Amino acid sequence: MIITAQLLNDSKFYEKPILLYFTTDQCKKCEELYEQMKNLYILSKYYAIQVNAIENVEYTVRLTRGVIPTITILTPDLKILGIIESVDVKFIESRLRDILDDYKNKKIIGLTINGFIPEPLELSPFVIYDTVNKVIEGEPADSRMIEVYLTYTNIYKDYLKAKDKIKFQDSLAEFLLNKQAKINVDKKYLANIAMLVNYGIADIKEVLELLNKDTGEVYRSSLRENKGILLDEALAGNALLTAYESSFDENYLTLAIRIANYIKENLQHEKGFKDIKGNDDITNIPYLEPISNAETAIFFSRLWNITNDESYKSLSLKGAMSALGASTSNPKVLARISIAYMKLYESIKANQVLNIIDSRVEIVKDNNCEKGKLYYDGKCYTSIHEIVPKSF
């Protein structure tokens, strides 16, 4: 917890605003700037706190536009007095003086921090088309976008011709398309480890080290300072399902269901899923972050395929529709919705692991087909290339 009751009481008593300085581990210019700021007299008139924007993403999404570094000034009753996005220490000093003067003279009272609750939208296959088009048009693609593209090329091989034009957002995305590429991700964070497990590159033990097996909460990183973030919960759940599908070890499925229960009981909202269980006046403000909801939709769609529990299908739809309502153009969000859509409406069930990336496929113990065959829409198939989807 960053904003403690003691901090708020002190801020109110001494009439000193709260200054949150958002930075990241690898931001050298952020460190240099903060060292300069510490020499400013005006900084002593604030309660200044450094915030790791990645570790404490629930504050980042509510109090910044995602720019690093960002300085956000709050009143004792947690209204926003100002946001400064600059690396010019002279400009920052001037703005801090102006904000403090205006606050003391009651010229500004601050803006209320708003939540984010989008209206859900019905799903359609356009999310798949849009994702594939963005990839082949050169939009920097993350791993989920490449996953959708590879699935599409399993069906429509002509799209492989665009392979050389694809740009990558990160090394994992490049690896999925070019196995010779070197993966470079920060394995301090659970989300990164979980994605590596999903693609068979890391061991599930690394996820288990950050999981509370009793509650279903997962730590955000090896720092163990934050836990229970929706995105991390969903990605850890997906990693456990991947481990289950490659081994049929029921312990992994049990833990995945425990995570599902944590999400249902603590993060569910009428119109989607909250990014975190509120633990202070800032995180109590509901925020239905779209990528997190879309990843949650993937997790629940996989659980539905494996367990046949219809409640998981409903939860998957809730997450996907919330994500789509929040963002109809962001290709990273659309890619994740696309994967959930394919698992919900074009599901292919295999009874052994396939050496192929295809978002439609889940591995189950019994798919009512002979060993090595695939089940789709009431029939058994020998090859995934024989299966033509009905909806796209």
Side-chain angles (χ1 to χ4, degrees), residues 4-197:
T4 64
Q6 184 62 55
L7 175 63
L8 293 177
N9 288 337
D10 290 347
S11 175
K12 185 174 183 179
F13 183 80
Y14 294 107
E15 295 186 333
K16 290 174 65 173
I18 300 166
L19 183 155
L20 300 181
Y21 182 80
F22 288 88
T23 182
T24 62
D25 295 330
Q26 306 301 324
C27 184
K28 186 176 180 180
K29 68 178 181 181
C30 302
E31 295 176 14
E32 294 171 351
L33 177 61
Y34 196 70
E35 288 301 313
Q36 292 177 328
M37 287 174 55
K38 282 161 50 173
N39 294 323
L40 301 177
Y41 173 74
I42 188 63
L43 198 68
S44 65
K45 301 299 181 179
Y46 292 86
Y47 283 108
I49 304 169
Q50 288 196 72
V51 181
N52 185 320
I54 299 176
E55 180 73 20
N56 301 284
V57 66
E58 69 276 23
Y59 288 91
T60 306
V61 297
R62 288 168 173 79
L63 298 175
T64 79
R65 295 190 307 121
V67 176
I68 299 299
T70 286
I71 299 167
T72 301
I73 313 296
L74 301 175
T75 67
D77 58 351
L78 298 179
K79 291 185 177 178
I80 298 176
L81 290 174
I83 294 177
I84 305 171
E85 297 173 351
S86 175
V87 292
D88 183 335
V89 70
K90 292 295 185 183
F91 174 79
I92 291 170
E93 180 180 27
S94 176
R95 286 294 297 128
L96 291 179
R97 290 188 183 283
D98 290 343
I99 290 171
L100 185 66
D101 287 344
D102 288 344
Y103 174 62
K104 294 285 190 181
N105 294 323
K106 302 188 185 305
K107 292 182 179 179
I108 55 173
I109 59 174
L111 298 174
T112 300
I113 302 169
N114 293 320
F116 183 62
I117 307 174
E119 284 297 320
L121 288 178
E122 293 290 334
L123 303 188
S124 80
F126 94 84
V127 294
I128 303 170
Y129 306 136
D130 275 13
T131 301
V132 173
N133 286 335
K134 290 292 187 182
V135 171
I136 64 179
E137 289 168 1
E139 182 85 22
D142 69 359
S143 62
R144 288 301 199 191
M145 292 170 68
I146 295 298
E147 186 178 336
V148 174
Y149 169 74
L150 289 174
T151 301
Y152 207 74
T153 61
N154 290 337
I155 305 159
Y156 307 108
K157 296 191 179 299
D158 283 350
Y159 281 81
L160 281 170
K161 296 175 182 177
K163 182 178 178 180
D164 294 336
K165 299 179 181 179
I166 293 174
K167 296 178 182 178
F168 306 99
Q169 179 182 294
D170 53 53
S171 60
L172 178 57
E174 186 174 5
F175 176 83
L176 294 185
L177 208 58
N178 175 14
K179 298 299 182 182
Q180 303 304 314
K182 184 178 180 181
I183 300 173
N184 180 26
V185 299
D186 187 351
K187 293 184 73 176
K188 179 172 74 175
Y189 290 97
L190 177 282
N192 293 340
I193 299 170
M195 288 302 293
L196 294 176
V197 173

Side-chain angles (χ1 to χ4, degrees), residues 201-247:
I201 306 167
D203 195 302
I204 190 62
K205 291 178 182 178
E206 297 183 68
V207 171
L208 295 177
E209 290 174 359
L210 296 173
L211 169 65
N212 184 322
K213 297 177 182 179
D214 295 323
T215 66
E217 288 177 291
V218 293
Y219 283 102
R220 182 145 182 79
S221 75
S222 58
L223 295 174
R224 295 177 179 267
E225 294 177 355
N226 202 0
K227 61 184 178 180
I229 302 258
L230 176 64
L231 179 63
D232 301 331
E233 296 289 328
L235 288 174
N238 273 317
L240 285 163
L241 292 181
T242 297
Y244 167 75
E245 291 183 5
S246 64
S247 66

Side-chain angles (χ1 to χ4, degrees), residues 231-389:
L231 179 63
D232 301 331
E233 296 289 328
L235 288 174
N238 273 317
L240 285 163
L241 292 181
T242 297
Y244 167 75
E245 291 183 5
S246 64
S247 66
F248 292 132
D249 184 333
E250 293 291 332
N251 289 321
Y252 296 136
L253 180 58
T254 298
L255 290 173
I257 291 173
R258 197 154 293 159
I259 287 176
N261 289 337
Y262 178 84
I263 293 173
K264 287 194 297 181
E265 294 166 8
N266 297 284
L267 305 179
Q268 192 167 186
H269 184 275
E270 177 186 358
K271 295 182 178 179
F273 297 93
K274 298 178 290 184
D275 63 335
I276 193 171
K277 178 182 177 182
N279 53 33
D280 59 29
D281 288 342
I282 290 179
T283 53
N284 278 332
I285 299 168
Y287 199 98
L288 278 55
E289 199 279 321
I291 283 184
S292 303
N293 270 267
E295 284 287 354
T296 301
I298 294 173
F299 173 46
F300 282 126
S301 68
R302 295 184 71 189
L303 266 179
W304 169 64
N305 273 279
I306 292 168
T307 67
N308 294 314
D309 185 334
E310 290 293 318
S311 69
Y312 293 134
K313 182 176 184 179
S314 298
L315 292 167
S316 177
L317 284 168
K318 172 179 274 193
M321 291 168 63
S322 174
L324 186 59
S327 179
T328 58
S329 60
N330 185 326
K332 295 173 183 60
V333 176
L334 296 181
R336 287 153 175 81
I337 299 170
S338 298
I339 293 169
Y341 180 95
M342 288 187 276
K343 292 183 183 300
L344 290 171
Y345 297 110
E346 294 291 345
S347 170
I348 298 172
K349 294 186 178 181
N351 51 32
Q352 64 182 27
V353 175
L354 305 182
N355 187 27
I356 192 172
I357 292 177
D358 195 300
S359 300
R360 298 169 294 170
V361 176
E362 291 301 327
I363 318 300
V364 297
K365 283 184 176 180
D366 182 9
N367 66 352
N368 297 316
C369 299
E370 296 175 17
K371 191 68 175 177
K373 290 199 171 183
L374 308 170
Y375 180 86
Y376 171 75
D377 194 31
K379 297 180 182 179
C380 296
Y381 293 83
T382 302
S383 169
I384 197 167
H385 302 297
E386 299 172 2
I387 301 173
V388 179

